[in-house]
Amino acid sequence: MSGWPHHHLIDLARFSREDFATVLGLAQRFRTLPVSGGRKLPALQGRLVTTLFFEPSTRTRSSFELAARRLSADVQSFTPSSSSLSKGETLLDTVLTYVAMGADVLVVRHRCTGVPARLVHHLRTLGIRASVLNGGDGLHSHPSQGLLDLLTLARHFNPGDPGPRALEGRRIALVGDVLHSRVARSNLWALTACGADVVLCGPPTLVPDLFRRFVEAPPPGQQEDPVARRGRIEVCRTLEEALPGADAVMTLRLQKERMRQHLLSSLESYHRCFGLTHARLRLCGGSAPVPVLHPGPVNRGVEMSGALLSDPEHSLVDEQVLNGVPVRMALLYLLAASEVAQGAALDQSSLNPSSSRP
Ligand code: CP
């Protein structure tokens, strides 16, 4: 763990294959440790994790908070509607207030792309060491979701060794609103880094052709891609083209709150063309049941049928939620470990569960 190179987590474009292996390995370990029912690991005792969600969330926020508690961290959460933002306090001053209270890790979600990265810049300028963990920013990035999706797929394909190699050579279809999806962008970096080929499917208004070249451009400030050879990205306009040969299908939520123009004629016509059903899933071929993922929240009957969503033979949606906790434990652990990298590293004993109740 001493080689973990990231003090903040803004996106997955900066992750090497080894970084993905580290997170998946640690998350898999946390997943198998007995940390439910009030048992906790002492790894982050004395650390303060602050969740600052300027945009609504059910899954991400609560699983980060559960993850932090399972590692014995103190947890503090900020609610914008009842905060001094309404009196005109700026976002930066709000964050600095929580830093002054001793926050070690700030988990930040914001509707505007780039807010977590700007915070990193400000904290560096001010010489503040708190880590920023992106809980989802605008259209840009949702790294913890990309990682929990990766763990879910890796566990499905190779339960005995759910590392990046489990994704090598797989064909993963991402269907729907790619344009507005930070989840899709994080998955594109993660899946291609692990050697999977990704096929994007949707109408041109939601899946522009440009996405074929998405992973070719390194993010600002990065000289070169940390991954030597990535999987390919293909763009298809129909499920009939996209699904044959797919090993898994991820449907994406139609992000009505981010759509500024009328990009669809109707939700009914969208479901007719791109909604996933048992019948459509048979287009994938093969004899084994094809897994279906969705990051949530789901528009039932739009992105996929209610029957498919609730079918345990195909749906990994609950598994994604479940995997969110150990993945976020791994991320908090790794960032807190980098926090003390110059001094004592967290040791093996910090991963042994205690029976103390929260
Ligand atoms: N997948 C996801 O980010 O869900 P929430 O918006 O509920 O956190």
Side-chain angles (χ1 to χ4, degrees), residues 53 56-61 109 135 142 145 182-183 295-297:
F53 278 57
S57 165
T58 297
R59 283 146 278 265
T60 311
R61 177 175 174 157
R109 169 174 287 192
H142 193 346
Q145 180 73 42
R182 55 196 177 207
V183 174

Side-chain angles (χ1 to χ4, degrees), residues 76-138:
Q76 202 175 32
S77 49
F78 158 81
T79 308
S81 57
S82 57
S83 76
S84 290
L85 280 177
S86 59
K87 300 175 197 162
E89 189 163 39
T90 65
L91 186 145
L92 179 59
D93 284 335
T94 302
V95 170
L96 292 178
T97 301
Y98 283 99
V99 168
M101 284 187 241
D104 296 296
V105 181
L106 301 154
V107 183
V108 179
R109 169 174 287 192
H110 202 283
R111 69 183 169 79
C112 296
T113 291
V115 166
R118 290 298 299 166
L119 280 176
V120 167
H121 170 78
H122 284 300
L123 296 184
R124 279 201 188 118
T125 307
L126 296 167
I128 294 168
R129 270 197 62 78
S131 294
V132 176
L133 211 162
N134 186 356
D137 64 323

Side-chain angles (χ1 to χ4, degrees), residues 226-240:
V227 175
R229 204 169 59 82
R230 289 186 178 272
R232 286 168 305 134
I233 299 174
E234 197 183 325
V235 171
C236 293
R237 298 291 167 220
T238 64
L239 289 175
E240 286 68 22

Side-chain angles (χ1 to χ4, degrees), residues 23-255:
V23 174
L24 295 194
L26 195 50
Q28 175 65 10
R29 208 162 141 209
F30 284 136
R31 215 197 117 123
T32 52
L33 282 172
V35 286
S36 56
R39 286 162 68 88
K40 299 199 284 185
L41 306 176
L44 298 190
Q45 217 149 36
R47 305 293 164 82
L48 177 57
V49 173
T50 303
T51 56
L52 294 135
F53 278 57
F54 298 90
E55 190 189 68
S57 165
T58 297
R59 283 146 278 265
T60 311
R61 177 175 174 157
S62 37
S63 73
F64 263 119
E65 292 178 358
L66 184 58
R69 289 197 179 94
R70 287 192 172 165
L71 292 171
S72 303
D74 291 326
V75 179
Q76 202 175 32
S77 49
F78 158 81
T79 308
S81 57
S82 57
S83 76
S84 290
L85 280 177
S86 59
K87 300 175 197 162
E89 189 163 39
T90 65
L91 186 145
L92 179 59
D93 284 335
T94 302
V95 170
L96 292 178
T97 301
Y98 283 99
V99 168
M101 284 187 241
D104 296 296
V105 181
L106 301 154
V107 183
V108 179
R109 169 174 287 192
H110 202 283
R111 69 183 169 79
C112 296
T113 291
V115 166
R118 290 298 299 166
L119 280 176
V120 167
H121 170 78
H122 284 300
L123 296 184
R124 279 201 188 118
T125 307
L126 296 167
I128 294 168
R129 270 197 62 78
S131 294
V132 176
L133 211 162
N134 186 356
D137 64 323
L139 311 184
H140 169 229
S141 176
H142 193 346
S144 63
Q145 180 73 42
L147 290 163
L148 75 87
D149 292 338
L150 203 59
L151 179 66
T152 304
L153 287 167
R155 282 176 53 85
H156 177 85
F157 293 134
N158 191 352
D161 182 15
R165 261 201 308 243
L167 275 301
E168 187 84 53
R170 302 285 177 180
R171 177 178 167 92
I172 313 295
L174 265 63
V175 180
D177 187 359
V178 173
L179 180 66
H180 298 97
S181 177
R182 55 196 177 207
V183 174
R185 287 170 174 81
S186 289
N187 266 285
L188 283 169
W189 288 113
L191 292 168
T192 59
C194 297
D197 293 329
V198 180
V199 52
L200 302 174
C201 180
T205 47
L206 298 182
V207 188
D209 275 326
L210 220 58
F211 272 92
R212 276 196 185 97
R213 308 192 57 187
F214 181 73
V215 295
E216 289 174 24
Q222 185 168 301
Q223 299 306 314
E224 58 185 43
D225 193 340
V227 175
R229 204 169 59 82
R230 289 186 178 272
R232 286 168 305 134
I233 299 174
E234 197 183 325
V235 171
C236 293
R237 298 291 167 220
T238 64
L239 289 175
E240 286 68 22
E241 284 173 276
L243 295 191
D247 295 295
V249 186
M250 185 182 300
T251 54
L252 300 164
R253 184 171 69 87
L254 284 182
Q255 308 217 0

